[in-house]
Amino acid sequence: MSLNCNASGWIIVTGLPKVEHLLLFVVPCCVALRSIIALDTMRSVGMWLLFCWWFVFAVQAEDPYRLPEIFMYDDWESCPNSSVYCYAKTMLRVDQFPAGVVVPDTESTDRIVYHHRRHVLDLGVCVAKCQDEVSGLSEMERSALDHPAISVNYTFHVPSHVFPTMAVDDRRYRSLVNVCINKRLRAEYNIAGHTTLEYCRPPRDHPAPPFSFLELAFIAITSSLVSVLLLATYIDFSSPDDKIPCDGWVMAFSIRQNWNRLTAGPRTDLQRELIHIDGLRVGLQHLLIVIHSIGLAMIAPTPNYREMESFLDSFPLLAYITTNALLVQIFFTIGGYLLSVNFLRDSRTQPIDARYVGRKLLNRLLRLVPVYWYFLLFSVSINVRLDTHVGGFRLFTVENAFCRRNAWSNMLFLNNLVWPEDMCLLHTWYLAADFQLFLYALAVLLVVHRWPKSCGILFMVGILFSLCMPAYITHHNKLHPVYPFKLSEAKLFLSYDPWIRKIHMPSYANTGSYLAGLIAGYLHDRVTNHKLQLSEFSLYRAADRLITPVMIVVLFSSGIWYSIDVPKPSLWVSLYSALYRNVLGVFVAVCFLRSINAPKGLFRRILSFKLLTTLGKLTYSVYVLHDVAMRLVQLNQPMGSTISVTKVLSFVYQINLVAFAGGLLVFLLVEQPMIQLFKPTIDRICSWSKKNKTE
């Protein structure tokens, strides 16, 4: 028996031809026939011939071999309260599958195979039931079912070492669960494998553990924030209408004052010109929640997972999902554009020196850190107590374990790098990458400000680096040129997907879009303040004419990588990767340039609606907490319930509602109070003297 990969990205188990299998059934019939002939009973001979003929065709008409379901969870409610309940993954031995059975080759580097790993099973195991099932086995039978681990070159389970209790539980239950699962698989599917324990939750009749220091700290901080918020709001509303409270903390925490800040309109001409960017952020945040929610729904343990998997047979859907991975590039372009525009505006009104740079960095951190660290504290403390039923393990307990080990990388804005392996708050890689790109871009602007004539060389070097780096990473690591949406990787929230870790997250692989925004901001300043005419430059005219069709071709063709086999590394694959990683950011930057001094069209007028620009101020808080919102909504879905398109759409908009409502609460409770409380201190420390400027 052997394993072969066909042109569709499936592994075919080949072995004996069907005729030889049929002979296994024909031979006993013939032996019986010979005995009958010896008895010279012709009537019986005819009956036996008819029986053998019917038996052979009955075997041929049998249903094809049925693989085990990939989600096999013991009923948690019927598991005794005194029993441990373990989560595990079983790796089946593909070489033991019968002839003709196919499994998707999800690790193929030649094409993207989006299917589940059919030979990897998600398990929930009631230990008490397993003990009952294997109690009658002899030592020899147990030994025969206790299969060794199967070596693979990818991660398919949550590493048990992240849970402190698993050092003991793994030794205690590993062999038992392995034997138990193989016994079940042998009895129903005539196959076996190796089961790896991920986590064992204590019996339900055990008392809840006492609150840890971090949990008490989170509760204390939240209680203090709420108390100060209510007190400040009461003082504010109690003050006479013609008298504004003079206490800074009251103004910082008052709900009325922060609501006024939220709904306030733009104050300067530049803010009025760029107000549509806040509306653009809202649309992008919504699309981001949509794609994340669909991904979470498609990996939920459901009996109709094959139906959900079959939806991905649609080329437009695959292209849509693959393209949506680039939404983050638009955020990078916006970041580079606003940084450049604001820096060049400031350079005309104040000195660009160490104090300016210090104030810029501290204000950036003040915007990022309070909300971010608040949810980091939530993720290393109280969130584990939301694991109240069998579905809560992968949603909260795993996150808590990863964050307890690796939250330091988040706090230092380093969690977008290839280490640590087990990521805390996976979606916050963007905050780390964006902060690193902010530092790179600020350094470039400082050089341009000090040596204005160097801008052309700097920008050209940056463009070449931004094109070459994705191409090199793709070529060196034999990666797919586009985002490979794989259900097999999504089941671990993409934490171990090589494409995500090596090319999607690192800041040095995302410089193109940020640089495009930076250059657009620089040209915006030259056009508005130095009367530069972009239309006079042939390079701009070519970019303006070509960028839209190139973007359409690249993005709409991104789905073909699920249909064609291309051996890697390949030069043209690397070139496609360079285009794919940069084309959307360049397109948005060109759109920003087109809008300079141009009357607002319908799209910009819609994005400038008061509702959208107001919600735009919430998008940072919404981004940080939308992952928690997704997990909370998913937690309320019954384990093993079926998934439908209608339910997925409902799921998406529930998450949007919860995320934006939560974003408003966090904006009023954490984000704005901290900014208003500490910004005056930063400005005072990094203030500059008008007298010194005159001198």
Side-chain angles (χ1 to χ4, degrees):
M1 184 177 290
S2 62
L3 306 179
N4 297 311
C5 182
N6 69 355
S8 302
W10 291 75
I11 295 176
I12 304 178
V13 184
T14 58
L16 296 173
K18 287 186 176 181
V19 174
E20 294 182 35
H21 281 284
L22 295 177
L23 289 176
L24 297 176
F25 299 101
V26 173
V27 168
C29 291
C30 293
V31 171
L33 177 61
R34 181 180 178 183
S35 301
I36 294 169
I37 291 175
L39 296 176
D40 196 21
T41 55
M42 296 305 299
R43 183 177 179 182
S44 298
V45 169
M47 292 179 63
W48 271 105
L49 286 173
L50 288 174
F51 171 76
C52 292
W53 189 261
W54 168 84
F55 191 79
V56 168
F57 279 94
V59 169
Q60 285 182 312
E62 276 187 347
D63 291 334
Y65 179 80
R66 184 168 59 95
L67 289 173
E69 299 296 323
I70 63 172
F71 298 110
M72 301 175 65
Y73 283 80
D74 290 345
D75 183 24
W76 192 54
E77 297 298 330
S78 64
C79 187
N81 289 340
S82 58
S83 174
V84 169
Y85 192 94
C86 292
Y87 300 88
K89 289 283 202 306
T90 293
M91 172 72 69
L92 300 178
R93 296 191 61 87
V94 178
D95 58 348
Q96 292 184 358
F97 284 11
V101 173
V102 295
V103 292
D105 183 17
T106 55
E107 316 317 313
S108 171
T109 59
D110 292 345
R111 78 160 65 192
I112 304 171
V113 180
Y114 59 78
H115 300 80
H116 289 284
R117 293 186 180 111
R118 294 305 313 276
H119 56 295
V120 178
L121 313 181
D122 277 34
L123 306 177
V125 183
C126 177
V127 171
K129 290 183 178 179
C130 268
Q131 288 172 333
D132 291 341
E133 291 177 28
V134 304
S135 59
L137 297 179
S138 66
E139 285 299 322
M140 184 176 295
E141 290 172 323
R142 289 191 182 212
S143 178
L145 292 172
D146 194 5
H147 288 201
I150 301 171
S151 178
V152 292
N153 60 354
Y154 52 85
T155 301
F156 65 94
H157 62 87
V158 176
S160 61
H161 63 79
V162 301
F163 305 104
T165 58
M166 282 305 293
V168 174
D169 288 343
D170 187 64
R171 290 194 300 269
R172 184 178 298 167
Y173 303 118
R174 176 177 54 202
S175 179
L176 169 67
V177 173
N178 196 20
V179 170
C180 172
I181 297 303
N182 278 334
K183 182 176 182 295
R184 295 177 184 179
L185 292 172
R186 280 290 185 198
E188 191 165 356
Y189 304 100
N190 192 30
I191 198 170
H194 176 79
T195 300
T196 302
L197 293 182
E198 296 177 305
Y199 175 69
C200 292
R201 62 192 305 153
R204 281 174 288 176
D205 59 5
H206 278 204
F211 284 93
S212 66
F213 171 77
L214 292 175
E215 289 175 309
L216 293 174
F218 178 81
I219 293 171
I221 290 172
T222 304
S223 301
S224 299
L225 289 172
V226 172
S227 300
V228 175
L229 177 81
L230 295 176
L231 181 59
T233 303
Y234 173 77
I235 294 174
D236 186 22
F237 275 98
S238 299
S239 302
D241 293 338
D242 59 346
K243 183 179 180 182
I244 298 176
C246 59
D247 291 331
W249 70 271
V250 174
M251 296 294 290
F253 279 90
S254 170
I255 292 178
R256 180 167 65 176
Q257 299 300 329
N258 285 326
W259 181 263
N260 291 338
R261 296 181 184 108
L262 176 64
T263 56
R267 297 189 299 273
T268 66
D269 291 340
L270 183 61
Q271 289 176 345
R272 280 187 283 274
E273 179 188 353
L274 304 180
I275 189 66
H276 62 279
I277 290 180
D278 280 336
L280 179 60
R281 282 192 178 116
V282 176
L284 293 173
Q285 183 62 61
H286 170 71
L287 291 175
L288 203 64
I289 292 176
V290 168
I291 196 65
H292 287 177
S293 302
I294 291 174
L296 187 61
M298 294 196 75
I299 61 172
T302 175
N304 66 325
Y305 65 88
R306 289 188 185 87
E307 180 182 345
M308 300 304 298
E309 189 178 58
S310 67
F311 289 144
L312 294 176
D313 289 335
S314 166
F315 179 90
L317 180 58
L318 288 174
Y320 170 77
I321 293 175
T322 302
T323 301
N324 265 258
L326 295 179
L327 289 176
V328 70
Q329 300 300 325
I330 303 180
F331 282 112
F332 287 141
T333 305
I334 292 173
Y337 184 66
L338 294 180
L339 173 63
S340 182
V341 168
N342 288 316
F343 179 94
L344 295 171
R345 177 202 60 190
D346 293 342
S347 68
R348 294 190 298 272
T349 60
Q350 57 187 287
I352 305 299
D353 54 14
R355 289 192 173 187
Y356 174 83
V357 174
R359 184 169 68 253
K360 203 80 174 171
L361 288 174
L362 291 175
N363 282 327
R364 183 79 170 191
L365 291 172
L366 180 60
R367 173 74 191 284
L368 295 175
V369 166
V371 173
Y372 188 17
W373 284 17
Y374 180 77
F375 278 94
L376 274 178
L377 182 57
F378 168 79
S379 298
V380 300
S381 60
I382 206 75
N383 75 328
V384 73
R385 294 187 182 269
L386 297 175
D387 180 4
T388 56
H389 63 71
V390 67
F393 162 66
R394 302 197 187 281
L395 297 175
F396 292 106
T397 301
V398 172
E399 188 77 78
N400 182 272
F402 285 178
C403 287
R404 282 180 175 268
R405 290 174 63 88
N406 296 317
W408 62 268
S409 64
N410 298 68
M411 297 175 71
L412 297 176
F413 293 94
L414 297 174
N415 58 308
N416 64 316
L417 304 179
V418 293
W419 48 268
E421 186 177 5
D422 308 316
M423 292 189 65
C424 165
L425 293 179
L426 180 73
H427 69 292
T428 60
W429 72 268
Y430 163 76
L431 303 181
D434 186 68
F435 185 69
Q436 293 162 17
L437 290 170
F438 168 82
L439 296 178
Y440 301 157
L442 186 58
V444 170
L445 289 172
L446 289 171
V447 173
V448 170
H449 175 73
R450 178 64 180 83
W451 297 284
K453 293 184 179 180
S454 67
C455 65
I457 296 175
L458 275 178
F459 291 158
M460 184 57 66
V461 170
I463 291 170
L464 291 175
F465 178 86
S466 301
L467 291 172
C468 293
M469 182 54 69
Y472 170 76
I473 295 173
T474 301
H475 190 86
H476 178 72
N477 295 286
K478 299 181 181 180
L479 298 176
H480 298 292
V482 301
Y483 165 56
F485 180 70
K486 297 182 179 182
L487 294 171
S488 55
E489 295 291 349
K491 286 166 74 174
L492 291 174
F493 300 104
L494 306 178
S495 294
Y496 307 101
D497 188 330
W499 193 91
I500 293 291
R501 299 303 297 270
K502 293 179 179 179
I503 197 172
H504 186 62
M505 291 183 177
S507 56
Y508 51 78
N510 289 286
T511 56
S513 295
Y514 213 96
L515 180 63
L518 194 76
I519 295 174
Y522 175 83
L523 294 176
H524 175 278
D525 178 75
R526 307 303 292 180
V527 170
T528 56
N529 297 296
H530 300 275
K531 308 304 180 184
L532 178 71
Q533 296 297 319
L534 287 174
S535 58
E536 295 179 358
F537 294 88
S538 58
L539 181 61
Y540 171 75
R541 292 198 304 271
D544 183 53
R545 188 178 300 112
L546 294 175
I547 188 60
T548 301
V550 170
M551 183 196 68
I552 292 173
V553 169
V554 171
L555 297 188
F556 277 78
S557 66
S558 60
I560 66 172
W561 303 98
Y562 295 85
S563 306
I564 61 174
D565 290 286
V566 181
K568 300 174 185 65
S570 168
L571 179 60
W572 76 277
V573 169
S574 301
L575 294 176
Y576 187 99
S577 176
L579 280 175
Y580 173 81
R581 298 290 300 167
N582 291 286
V583 67
L584 188 57
V586 174
F587 170 78
V588 173
V590 170
C591 288
F592 286 155
L593 293 176
R594 290 170 179 168
S595 68
I596 300 174
N597 297 329
K600 284 190 175 181
L602 177 62
F603 185 60
R604 277 200 292 163
R605 290 201 302 271
I606 292 174
L607 294 179
S608 300
F609 283 171
K610 180 68 173 180
L611 176 62
L612 291 180
T613 58
T614 299
L615 291 176
K617 298 176 184 178
L618 303 178
T619 50
Y620 173 64
S621 291
V622 171
Y623 180 80
V624 175
L625 68 84
H626 84 275
D627 181 73
V628 177
M630 286 196 309
R631 294 169 190 266
L632 287 172
V633 173
Q634 178 68 29
L635 185 68
N636 290 323
Q637 302 299 316
M639 187 69 175
S641 60
T642 58
I643 301 291
S644 64
V645 174
T646 303
K647 184 176 285 190
V648 170
L649 293 176
S650 172
F651 184 65
V652 165
Y653 287 98
Q654 284 182 59
I655 292 170
N656 268 281
L657 182 61
V658 172
F660 275 93
L664 175 61
L665 181 61
V666 172
F667 178 88
L668 298 173
L669 183 67
V670 181
E671 183 179 343
Q672 274 302 303
M674 294 300 105
I675 290 175
Q676 300 303 321
L677 201 60
F678 292 105
K679 193 174 188 301
T681 303
I682 292 174
D683 291 341
R684 185 168 59 252
I685 294 172
C686 300
S687 62
W688 56 280
S689 169
K690 291 184 180 180
K691 181 179 178 180
N692 291 340
K693 183 180 180 183
T694 303
E695 292 176 354

